Amino acid sequence: MSYAHKIFSQIQNPNIFTWNTMIRGYAESENPNPAIQLHHQMHISSIEPDTHTYPFLLKAIAKLMAVREGEMIHCVAIRNGFESLVFVQNTLVHMYAACGLAENAHKLFDLMSDRNLVTWNSVINGFAVNGRPNEALTLFREMNLAGVEPDGFTMVSLLTACAELGALDLGRRAHVYMFKVGLNGNLHAGNALIDLYAKCGTIWEAHKVFDEMLLRSVVSWTSLIVGLAVNGFGKEALELFGELEREGLVPSEISFVGVLYACSHCGMVDKGFEYFKRMREDYGILPKIEHYGCLVDLLGRAGLVQEAHKFIQNMPLEPNAVIWRILLGACMIHGNLALGEVTRAELLRLEPKHCGDYVLLSNLYASEGRWSDVQKVRRTMLRKGVRKSPGHSLVELRNCVHEFVMGDKSHPQTEEIYEKLEEMMKKLKMEGYVPRISNVLADIEEEEKEKTLSYHSEKIAIAFALLNASPGTPIRVVKNLRVCADCHLAIKLISKVYHREIIVRDRSRFHHFRDGFCSCKDYW
């Protein structure tokens, strides 16, 4: 692009085709910034944009996620009468979706009288990648009703939404559809399938997809390495990484995130630092903040919180809020209040309104029985308008995803669910289950603590699944928070008492429960 720009700067009166060529070149390059600068120069030079200028320019803006610039260009396109053109509208939908404004993308989509496959793909993908999987699936159904045939890009968005929700049955139907229409050879869709099966806890199905792929990229290998790691198969993840190297492929920085994650969740401290060293020395990959975060997590999970703090202090990069939050979480797990308060001070400086930090500190005080400090933290949250994100659990049944929160009574089957929950707790106690009331970080009576534990969202979700799912079928639960020690113990016993495989995906990893044991071996 630098050479092209030199030639461009020597043309005395470049025409609109030449300007567009330059804007397009930058839009497709690693540095799209000059595309916006060129558009400003066009305006100063009184060069009128044409129908091709906006799609190229908006593509550059989408890459940069420069939403303010995008809104300005949207206004200019309306003023110049180009907004009604379908390819301009498509790039506007894509731009808003890429900038995280899925609602704005959908509003534009609704106003469009002429839509093509690109339009549908842009708006579906916008919802899928912005944490709105239900809306993505709804639009996919509307697309089918409108008679629009999906392509590889559509399937990637659909599979991404299914993976986010843990909607395995729906994802399997998408997989079958891909075979029917001949999309099973599509590399990007194949990678999305690996990701789907891995995120639904069926890691061996992910491995099967990988084995059957005729064409694999480093992304394919990395998807499976990360999938094995989060499912608790750290040894297998590292073996696959060794295969990748033997194939002569060059691992990416994300491949190393998967490798370090595997070490972290299996307690392989020395191995983790060894791979971190190799990343720089063997492949010349400069570690990013994510890699440093993995090492802080590796030390924190192993109970080496002081060493983790020292590592953060010696990092060549400025530690961000995520790094300090990982350490605060480790302080909570291992009961290090003094370091927890130091860490919280750093988080107050970086992200003073993050609800998770208040909750972690409050829980840390509660675990020490410092109820007056717990009240202080909660009063501060109220004063600053910080709200705690409620824990929820999702479970799929017959292509429908059901959501439950703690003490949920909104489901049509509430009465039956709570009867099942009561039956579950009685059976567990006969097996020797004693509720871990130390996990209830509230200053209430022991009887109330026990009741609170039985109403956790994952227990409600499992009771619902036991009521409705066919006997012997695995139960899959997706939870947005870390599973607590009491629920972990209870689910181990439920898997034994009810002879069910139960797969729980929490905030950071998978737990595969079977016959009273968990794949994490109680290290999570």
Side-chain angles (χ1 to χ4, degrees):
M1 282 310 299
S2 59
Y3 192 70
H5 207 132
K6 279 177 187 173
I7 297 169
F8 173 78
S9 60
Q10 289 170 30
I11 302 170
Q12 280 191 350
N13 294 303
N15 60 19
I16 187 62
F17 175 81
T18 318
W19 284 96
N20 286 347
T21 303
M22 287 301 296
I23 290 169
R24 182 182 189 172
Y26 278 117
E28 290 173 355
S29 73
E30 286 183 12
N31 178 24
N33 256 311
I36 296 171
Q37 292 156 18
L38 280 164
H39 180 253
H40 290 320
Q41 285 174 32
M42 269 179 70
H43 184 68
I44 293 161
S45 306
S46 301
I47 304 292
E48 285 296 316
D50 69 2
T51 54
H52 296 287
T53 311
Y54 296 109
F56 302 153
L57 184 59
L58 288 163
K59 186 177 180 180
I61 288 165
K63 264 191 175 181
L64 293 162
M65 294 197 287
V67 68
R68 291 281 169 249
E69 286 284 349
E71 287 171 341
M72 284 164 61
I73 299 305
H74 189 175
C75 293
V76 174
I78 293 169
R79 197 169 64 232
N80 291 345
F82 292 124
E83 195 213 12
S84 59
L85 298 170
V86 70
F87 44 89
V88 174
Q89 288 177 326
N90 282 347
T91 45
L92 279 166
V93 169
H94 170 69
M95 183 274 295
Y96 282 118
C99 292
L101 302 172
E103 285 291 346
N104 293 33
H106 192 239
K107 277 179 191 172
L108 263 175
F109 172 82
D110 277 341
L111 294 168
M112 289 172 71
S113 54
D114 185 16
R115 298 169 185 160
N116 58 21
L117 180 58
V118 175
T119 324
W120 285 97
N121 281 349
S122 295
V123 74
I124 290 170
N125 190 57
F127 280 121
V129 300
N130 285 298
R132 305 277 292 277
N134 277 315
E135 288 88 340
L137 296 181
T138 302
L139 277 162
F140 179 73
R141 289 189 196 102
E142 286 177 21
M143 179 181 165
N144 279 336
L145 291 170
V148 180
E149 285 289 315
D151 65 357
F153 290 107
T154 325
M155 298 317 294
V156 169
S157 299
L158 177 66
L159 293 166
T160 302
C162 291
E164 184 72 23
L165 286 167
L168 180 62
D169 289 345
L170 193 57
R172 279 182 176 142
R173 280 173 60 199
H175 191 176
V176 170
Y177 178 84
M178 282 166 61
F179 265 102
K180 273 186 184 174
V181 297
L183 285 169
N184 52 306
N186 184 293
L187 177 63
H188 301 297
N191 291 341
L193 268 174
I194 293 171
D195 189 53
L196 163 82
Y197 286 127
K199 284 183 177 171
C200 289
T202 54
I203 190 63
W204 304 119
E205 285 190 63
H207 215 306
K208 189 171 182 282
V209 171
F210 175 83
D211 289 340
E212 290 172 355
M213 287 173 81
L214 297 173
L215 182 67
R216 296 177 195 144
S217 65
V218 171
V219 174
S220 319
W221 288 84
T222 299
S223 298
L224 189 55
I225 288 165
V226 172
L228 285 162
V230 297
N231 276 275
F233 301 101
K235 186 170 166 277
E236 290 83 351
L238 299 181
E239 282 171 5
L240 190 68
F241 182 77
E243 274 185 55
L244 179 151
E245 291 185 301
R246 284 191 291 278
E247 287 279 328
L249 293 167
V250 178
S252 67
E253 56 190 44
I254 301 167
S255 309
F256 276 100
V257 169
V259 165
L260 295 174
Y261 194 97
C263 295
S264 173
H265 284 260
C266 295
M268 296 185 279
V269 177
D270 294 339
K271 201 86 175 159
F273 277 89
E274 189 186 307
Y275 278 112
F276 184 73
K277 188 182 175 188
R278 283 192 58 209
M279 182 172 76
R280 288 177 293 186
E281 292 180 0
D282 295 357
Y283 294 102
I285 297 172
L286 199 65
K288 291 195 170 177
I289 200 77
E290 293 85 356
H291 301 105
Y292 286 103
C294 284
L295 290 183
V296 173
D297 190 47
L298 174 67
L299 292 165
R301 281 179 192 278
L304 306 168
V305 286
Q306 294 296 347
E307 289 85 343
H309 185 226
K310 198 173 177 182
F311 179 78
I312 293 170
Q313 289 175 315
N314 294 324
M315 274 170 52
L317 300 178
E318 179 70 28
N320 62 11
V322 175
I323 297 279
W324 288 110
R325 198 164 292 124
I326 291 167
L327 182 59
L328 182 57
C331 290
M332 166 62 206
I333 293 162
H334 299 289
N336 193 321
L337 182 57
L339 185 55
E341 288 178 324
V342 170
T343 306
R344 175 69 186 120
E346 293 291 341
L347 283 163
L348 274 173
R349 181 176 61 83
L350 293 165
E351 278 186 25
K353 285 199 170 185
H354 192 282
C355 68
D357 305 335
Y358 287 93
V359 172
L360 281 171
L361 188 64
S362 170
N363 290 349
L364 194 48
Y365 283 135
S367 65
E368 296 283 315
R370 289 172 54 172
W371 301 112
S372 59
D373 288 317
V374 170
Q375 289 306 317
K376 275 182 198 170
V377 172
R378 289 178 183 172
R379 279 197 295 271
T380 306
M381 286 177 77
L382 283 169
R383 194 174 68 249
K384 293 188 175 180
V386 178
R387 291 191 176 197
K388 180 187 172 185
S389 301
H392 68 252
S393 294
L394 307 173
V395 65
E396 185 190 23
L397 185 74
R398 290 185 278 277
N399 296 319
C400 186
V401 177
H402 299 259
E403 183 177 343
F404 299 94
V405 295
M406 183 176 166
D408 200 336
K409 292 193 177 177
S410 61
H411 199 276
Q413 284 183 276
T414 290
E415 206 174 309
E416 297 160 78
I417 291 167
Y418 277 85
E419 278 174 18
K420 190 70 179 177
L421 199 56
E422 209 173 305
E423 174 209 291
M424 266 168 48
M425 302 321 286
K426 280 177 185 171
K427 283 191 176 185
L428 295 190
K429 283 178 181 175
M430 284 167 71
E431 282 289 322
Y433 165 71
V434 178
R436 294 194 176 184
I437 56 172
S438 59
N439 286 126
V440 181
L441 301 169
D443 192 12
I444 55 176
E445 294 298 321
E446 286 197 11
E447 195 179 321
E448 279 298 306
K449 287 188 177 187
E450 194 173 317
K451 198 175 176 182
T452 300
L453 285 171
S454 66
Y455 290 168
H456 278 194
S457 65
E458 54 267 58
K459 290 192 182 96
I460 298 170
I462 290 167
F464 167 78
L466 286 170
L467 266 175
N468 295 283
S470 305
T473 56
I475 294 168
R476 289 179 175 81
V477 177
V478 177
K479 185 174 168 62
N480 67 327
L481 302 175
R482 185 180 188 270
V483 66
C484 77
D486 179 77
C487 284
H488 193 269
L489 171 65
I491 300 168
K492 280 199 291 188
L493 289 170
I494 294 166
S495 72
K496 181 184 174 185
V497 170
Y498 288 90
H499 309 290
R500 290 288 186 114
E501 182 186 359
I502 302 171
I503 298 132
V504 178
R505 176 175 124 198
D506 76 1
R507 188 179 59 193
S508 61
R509 66 164 297 151
F510 277 88
H511 299 267
H512 295 255
F513 299 93
R514 188 183 285 170
D515 301 323
F517 296 96
C518 179
S519 59
C520 75
K521 299 178 180 68
D522 297 341
Y523 185 89
W524 84 97

